[in-house]
Amino acid sequence: MKLRLHFVVDPMGWFCTGIVFGIWLYNSVFVPKLVLLPHFHEGHIPWALVVSYYIASALCMAALFRASTADPGRLPPDPHIPHSELEEWEMCNKCNMMRPKRSHHCSRCGHCVRRMDHHCPWINNCVGEDNHWLFLQLCFYAQVLSLFTLLLDFCQYYYFQPLTTLDQGLFLARHELALIRGSAIMGLMMFGGMSSLFYTQMAGILTDTTTIEKMSFSNETSASGGGSKKPWQWTLAEVFGTTWKILWFLPLRIRQPLNIPHRLRSCV
């Protein structure tokens, strides 16, 4: 399976994704330049802390790029329907195409997506069966990076030793606004927002219910999702496409559909 890039032509989505990228760039360039690297050069912090920060930053950027450009599970114009699954497919009343149940038509993207959860303007892409795992990774690493940034901002003023090669008065005059207000506010907003989003996404996955299904009041949709009796390990393994838990944290790989044992499939 080749790595295919998927782009959505939406100026508003590009604008929202640009904001997310700008926050990441601010935290990954400005904060290390003023706080992390100067204290490392004077021996106040270990090299492992610097490496950990840049690893978290790289993983966050990789997850953002992959979630924004990965195919969420778009149905082809003429999908092949296995004869044994004919009863599991239905007609979309918007694009007049056959689609499997639990698929949804995205009006912004203009096509149906398998097991679509929602359309996220912050990644300018739908969150569906094939990129849901990347969206979870983005939420997780955004939390890690924003919390890391908040801790660095706090330690800069209340814990780290003063830098001997730096004029503290000049530093405060130039950068206090950016560090205390700009970086801290962005860190708090990103950490709070991503934590809430990550919690709701995990709750939906563990109950086998998408965001669209939660918002729907039809009995058919409610019956198709929710109330999963599978173990949480298998539920997450289905989303990430592997039972190797270490691979759940790596965005630079290709997801493959996971074959569920028959005894677990019958529990749903």
Side-chain angles (χ1 to χ4, degrees):
M1 180 183 295
K2 296 182 179 180
L3 184 64
R4 296 182 300 173
L5 298 183
H6 175 81
F7 294 99
V8 178
V9 181
D10 182 9
M12 181 56 67
W14 292 340
F15 175 75
C16 294
T17 306
I19 292 178
V20 177
F21 176 77
I23 295 175
W24 170 85
L25 190 65
Y26 185 94
N27 289 333
S28 300
V29 175
F30 187 80
V31 174
K33 179 181 179 180
L34 295 181
V35 181
L36 195 63
L37 295 179
H39 285 282
F40 168 71
H41 291 317
E42 294 200 8
H44 299 162
I45 58 176
W47 64 268
L49 188 65
V50 179
V51 173
S52 299
Y53 188 88
Y54 279 108
I55 289 177
S57 176
L59 289 172
C60 183
M61 187 65 236
L64 174 61
F65 176 78
R66 290 293 313 281
S68 301
T69 59
D71 188 343
R74 177 179 180 176
L75 290 172
D78 187 17
H80 172 70
I81 307 176
H83 182 74
S84 59
E85 299 180 7
L86 285 177
E87 296 182 357
E88 300 297 326
W89 287 63
E90 59 188 9
M91 178 69 71
C92 175
N93 57 8
K94 295 183 179 179
C95 59
N96 296 323
M97 288 176 50
M98 293 297 294
R99 65 186 187 186
K101 290 184 177 180
R102 306 193 70 183
S103 300
H104 186 78
H105 185 92
C106 178
S107 57
R108 188 174 293 271
C109 297
H111 53 72
C112 289
V113 176
R114 296 192 311 273
R115 203 182 185 280
M116 177 177 169
D117 187 83
H118 67 286
H119 181 93
C120 180
W122 301 106
I123 64 172
N124 191 33
N125 201 358
C126 290
V127 178
E129 184 178 78
D130 290 345
N131 72 338
H132 203 163
W133 63 286
L134 292 166
F135 186 73
L136 282 178
Q137 287 184 354
L138 174 61
C139 294
F140 176 76
Y141 287 122
Q143 291 179 78
V144 173
L145 185 61
S146 57
L147 182 60
F148 217 147
T149 301
L150 285 172
L151 291 176
L152 286 176
D153 292 342
F154 176 83
C155 291
Q156 167 66 24
Y157 290 97
Y158 300 106
Y159 181 75
F160 287 154
Q161 300 178 23
L163 296 170
T164 57
T165 58
L166 185 67
D167 186 339
Q168 292 296 320
L170 183 61
F171 179 85
L172 292 176
R174 288 183 175 180
H175 304 301
E176 182 178 14
L177 178 64
L179 280 176
I180 291 297
R181 297 184 183 179
S183 179
I185 289 176
M186 284 192 298
L188 284 172
M189 291 178 59
M190 288 295 291
F191 181 74
M194 288 299 177
S195 297
S196 175
L197 185 58
F198 184 76
Y199 171 79
T200 56
Q201 288 294 305
M202 287 296 296
I205 289 174
L206 295 178
T207 57
D208 196 22
T209 309
T210 66
T211 301
I212 292 176
E213 290 170 350
K214 290 179 182 178
M215 299 173 60
S216 176
F217 295 97
S218 67
N219 294 329
E220 180 182 357
T221 306
S222 299
S224 63
S228 174
K229 298 179 181 180
K230 290 177 290 186
W232 67 268
Q233 295 94 331
W234 268 103
T235 305
L236 289 175
E238 279 187 277
V239 174
F240 287 96
T242 178
T243 56
W244 292 85
K245 295 182 178 60
I246 188 64
L247 297 180
W248 295 359
F249 298 91
L250 300 180
L252 299 178
R253 65 180 179 88
I254 297 177
R255 175 187 178 274
Q256 297 286 355
L258 188 66
N259 292 325
I260 311 174
H262 180 73
R263 61 182 178 85
L264 293 177
R265 191 180 303 164
S266 61
C267 293
V268 183

